[in-house]
Amino acid sequence: MTTVYERAALPRPIPGRRRPRHSPAGPLLALLWAGAAAVVALWWYDTRSVVGLAGWLTDAGRITGLLCGYSCAVLVALMARVPLLERRTGSDRVARWHAMAGRYTVCLLVAHVTLILFGYAAQDGAGIVHETLSVVFDYPDMLKATIGTIVLVAIGITSARAARRRISHEFWYYVHLLTYVAVFLAFFHQLALGSDLVGNSAAQAAWYVLYLGTAALIGWFRLLAPVRLNRRHKLRVESVYREAPGVCSIVVRGERLDELDARPGQFFRWRFLADGMRWTSTPYSLSAPPRPDLMRITVKALGDHSAAVELLRPGTRVWAEGPYGSLTADRSTASKALLIAGGVGITPLRALFETLPGQVTLLYRARTAEDLALGGELEAIARWRGARVLYAVNGADGTRPRFTAESLRETVPDLAEHDVYLCGPPAMAQDLYAALSAAGVPDRRIHHESFEL
């Protein structure tokens, strides 16, 4: 089915190849590690000598506490969805950093609590239960810090893979938002009891700058920027239509959408303000180049929320955040490109297929021919720009075609001279990455972004 949206989009001129943008990942990681080194230096400067078991336990508790406090600020900052990171480094990479920071934070937190309590108990010659009750109820700001600690540990437990498989995305998401509350509750005891911060005005000022700066990032990019976007652009559902079994496209109309600077390959987080859907925000890629008044996404029914998208009515209000993602033409380093899509992973690659400059080949993997969503558009784009579209579907007996270094080189003889864009299920992406590396494609030319956020 071809709509007014696609007919208007196809003749758009292909832009010239942009100069590749360098990711700020390296400088940012260096800055974060420098911050951790400064925290260790602060502890080292204030530690004159360590005597006895109580001293060793207490001082180990101090350094783990300082690092945990620093890690809490980093953890929250990585939740801020700062465009420089989300669009240049990649949302999936930032999400992995956040998950890693979360594991470090919980481990440091447990170590800090355990070491401090046993250190204080050894110092006072008291039992661990008595010392714990004394610390929680008698020390300033410790009751709030204890509540924050419990919340952070609970968030860590629900974020473990075994737990994530058993709980809904919505429950996990709203529990995860309690990170802000937990960090806020734990902040004050650091200044009241942290021996490395008490009486050190420079260290206290740096701590305030760290936490207030993090709060400013969250306030702007998670609260004010989305409000401004949606008040200014007034998004509503324009139309919904079926593409393939279990797959539908949603066209969203808005005002001055060109101001968003959304690019083919990027995604937004969409919240449809309809009954039963307004409390869920889900990332969906643009499946066609955005226009000044229209954007389109294509959704596969993989759960209750995505299945309900097909039932949306024209006129339904939409709350969106973005654009996010770095799977764009900015990553291109060569004049030739191979796009490999698996299933609904075709959505960002369909938009790139239309706009990516140079010689482009698209390889589309699906179970059956009926599952090849957007096939008519892909064929039309291929004819218009003189590109190739290749399909890989299961055989009549269910046999799945394998992507190997040899088969990829047969399909694209000069493969090593191509940029390769991947989008599909994680297992498929991992296999393809290995095959492409074996086929001689340099890592810097393999571009992939996971949407399992």
Side-chain angles (χ1 to χ4, degrees), residues 137-155:
F137 293 104
D138 297 338
Y139 283 51
D141 293 311
M142 272 308 303
L143 184 57
K144 290 186 293 186
T146 300
I147 296 172
T149 297
I150 294 171
V151 172
L152 275 177
V153 172
I155 293 168

Side-chain angles (χ1 to χ4, degrees), residues 394-405:
N394 292 357
D397 59 353
T399 304
R400 300 180 60 182
R402 292 186 59 203
F403 293 129
T404 64

Side-chain angles (χ1 to χ4, degrees), residues 119-248:
Y120 284 2
Q123 181 177 296
D124 297 339
I128 188 64
V129 174
H130 177 273
E131 193 66 37
T132 299
L133 294 174
S134 175
V135 168
V136 171
F137 293 104
D138 297 338
Y139 283 51
D141 293 311
M142 272 308 303
L143 184 57
K144 290 186 293 186
T146 300
I147 296 172
T149 297
I150 294 171
V151 172
L152 275 177
V153 172
I155 293 168
I157 292 172
T158 58
S159 296
R161 289 185 180 181
R164 286 287 304 274
R165 288 194 291 264
R166 291 173 171 79
I167 60 177
S168 68
H169 173 78
E170 290 78 12
F171 178 81
W172 170 84
Y173 175 78
Y174 287 109
V175 168
H176 214 63
L177 289 180
L178 293 175
T179 302
Y180 302 131
V181 177
V183 172
F184 174 79
L185 291 173
F187 173 73
F188 298 99
H189 93 285
Q190 300 174 55
L191 298 177
L193 299 173
S195 59
D196 301 285
L197 299 175
V198 174
N200 188 333
S201 58
Q204 286 191 2
W207 219 245
Y208 272 114
V209 168
L210 175 66
Y211 273 80
L212 291 177
T214 298
L217 291 177
I218 293 294
W220 180 257
F221 293 114
R222 293 297 299 266
L223 297 176
L224 297 179
V227 169
R228 179 181 181 276
L229 183 155
N230 288 280
R231 286 177 59 87
R232 183 168 180 78
H233 299 292
K234 299 179 176 61
L235 304 176
R236 291 185 180 272
V237 173
E238 172 77 5
S239 60
V240 180
Y241 52 94
R242 187 174 180 269
E243 297 282 6
V247 179
C248 67

